[in-house]
Amino acid sequence: MSKVWAEIVTKIGENDSSLTIVDISDKNLGSRGSAKLGSALKKNRVVSELDLSNNSIGDQGFISICQGIIDNPKSKVKSIDFSGNDITTASSEMVEQLTGNEITLNLSENPINKKKRKRTARK
């Protein structure tokens, strides 16, 4: 994880008010970086949109990030772009868990969408 990415995660965990819309696309986060982001999101009360497209997150990373949001009753996240992250049907249960959270998920360009292009979870 790069120094810049580590600083962003720290700011997310500290509720930095300048980070309401966070674009960390194309950073090759992988599952380890996603786990750190998920932990930071458990405490965050300001981020409303995340662009995590093209980060090699996979199912494990997807679940870590989503669990961080689900475990945070004060989360403000409303939209996440997970396109191009090799998310499969193994993550379907987590998508369903988000259904009650009014979060729009862009899951395009992932194997989970062989039949569907975009899934929307509603709170």
Side-chain angles (χ1 to χ4, degrees):
M1 180 165 47
S2 75
K3 185 177 179 180
V4 172
W5 162 234
E7 289 172 9
I8 291 171
V9 171
T10 299
K11 287 180 179 184
I12 289 171
E14 294 173 347
N15 289 297
D16 184 319
S17 61
S18 69
L19 293 176
T20 57
I21 298 173
V22 180
D23 181 351
I24 38 183
S25 59
D26 301 300
K27 301 291 187 245
N28 198 27
L29 300 180
S31 61
R32 191 178 330 171
S34 298
K36 291 178 190 272
L37 178 58
S39 293
L41 288 168
K42 284 182 182 181
K43 303 177 254 180
N44 187 274
R45 298 181 311 273
V46 294
V47 172
S48 61
E49 294 180 33
L50 287 165
D51 183 349
L52 302 172
S53 59
N54 304 309
N55 269 301
S56 303
I57 289 171
D59 292 313
Q60 184 178 359
F62 175 78
I63 291 168
S64 295
I65 292 165
C66 293
Q67 196 63 57
I69 294 166
I70 288 169
D71 290 348
N72 180 354
K74 296 184 179 186
S75 175
K76 303 285 187 227
V77 175
K78 298 294 178 204
S79 175
I80 310 172
D81 185 347
F82 281 113
S83 60
N85 276 297
D86 200 30
I87 298 166
T88 71
T89 56
S91 294
S92 295
E93 186 176 320
M94 184 58 69
V95 171
E96 296 305 319
Q97 285 184 26
L98 288 173
T99 301
N101 290 342
E102 288 185 18
I103 297 172
T104 300
L105 302 175
N106 180 351
L107 295 170
S108 64
E109 300 176 39
N110 284 292
I112 195 171
N113 285 321
K114 288 188 176 180
K115 294 181 182 177
K116 297 181 181 179
R117 294 186 180 197
K118 191 171 181 178
R119 299 277 306 252
T120 301
R122 298 272 180 221
K123 195 178 219 174

